[in-house]
Amino acid sequence: QKSIRPDPTMKLFAVVLSLFAASASAFVPAPMTSSKAVTAVNMAAAEELYIDENRRFVMNLILLGSAGVTVGALGIPYILFFVPPGSGGGAGGSPAKDALGNDIFAAEYLASKPVGDRSLAQGLKGDATYLIIKEDKTLETYGLNAVCTHLGCVVPWSTAANKFQCPCHGSQVSLRTGG
């Protein structure tokens, strides 16, 4: 008679399989005991989980509406910051005033001044500003601020030198050459 010896690989396989089975059963929860109290609690919990579709819809509307208002409140001013302002209706200028604070009207002013005249008037914020009469007897579209940006004194126009000359620090500028 031949003796049947167990195969060593089968023996190893059986040991490994039993270890896996033992470790897997360690993670299985213990069976619960059934009682009427536990069943009542489970039924109550199941009733609480009922989802009301109308309520869910209303809550989604509230959520999306508040998010939309927030994004709009932050996003619209941000976008409008990058939109350039429209051109005005022509009433955006401020009137020039004479030495006494009276408004200067173009027709009267041009009739009383010669071509090429550079007279002082009150410009923005009451600063001394030169109004310049062009060759075609119209006003320039700009006024020159007569206040020196370095020391703050009023820079007079020198007709003899045909340029502005600052009495504070001797700087000079000609309208023809720009320097």
Side-chain angles (χ1 to χ4, degrees):
Q1 245 187 4
K2 284 186 169 178
S3 70
I4 301 177
R5 280 183 23 193
D7 187 18
T9 56
M10 285 303 284
K11 197 178 207 181
L12 181 64
F13 179 70
V15 169
V16 170
L17 186 62
S18 65
L19 286 175
F20 277 131
S23 67
S25 66
F27 294 106
V28 175
M32 292 180 50
T33 59
S34 74
S35 75
K36 291 186 179 189
V38 172
T39 306
V41 169
N42 286 341
M43 287 177 61
E47 288 177 6
E48 283 184 27
L49 292 177
Y50 172 73
I51 298 172
D52 185 6
E53 291 297 324
N54 289 334
R55 183 181 290 172
R56 175 180 248 181
F57 179 72
V58 169
M59 293 304 288
N60 283 339
L61 284 179
I62 291 171
L63 174 71
L64 292 176
S66 63
V69 167
T70 303
V71 168
L74 294 174
I76 291 173
Y78 179 78
I79 291 169
L80 291 178
F81 175 78
F82 295 104
V83 176
S87 61
S94 60
K97 300 187 179 291
D98 62 11
L100 300 175
N102 301 319
D103 287 348
I104 295 176
F105 295 99
E108 295 171 10
Y109 185 79
L110 291 171
S112 66
K113 303 289 180 180
V115 171
D117 182 62
R118 291 161 179 82
S119 298
L120 282 174
Q122 291 182 30
L124 298 173
K125 300 183 212 170
D127 285 349
T129 303
Y130 284 104
L131 297 179
I132 302 169
I133 300 178
K134 298 189 289 187
E135 298 293 328
D136 62 351
K137 198 75 170 155
T138 60
L139 284 171
E140 281 286 354
T141 57
Y142 58 87
L144 293 176
N145 192 336
V147 179
C148 174
T149 57
H150 301 116
L151 298 175
C153 55
V154 174
V155 180
W157 171 256
S158 172
T159 309
N162 201 25
K163 59 177 84 173
F164 294 99
Q165 296 177 327
C166 180
C168 295
H169 66 284
S171 179
Q172 301 178 10
V173 65
S174 170
L175 293 179
R176 296 203 196 295
T177 61

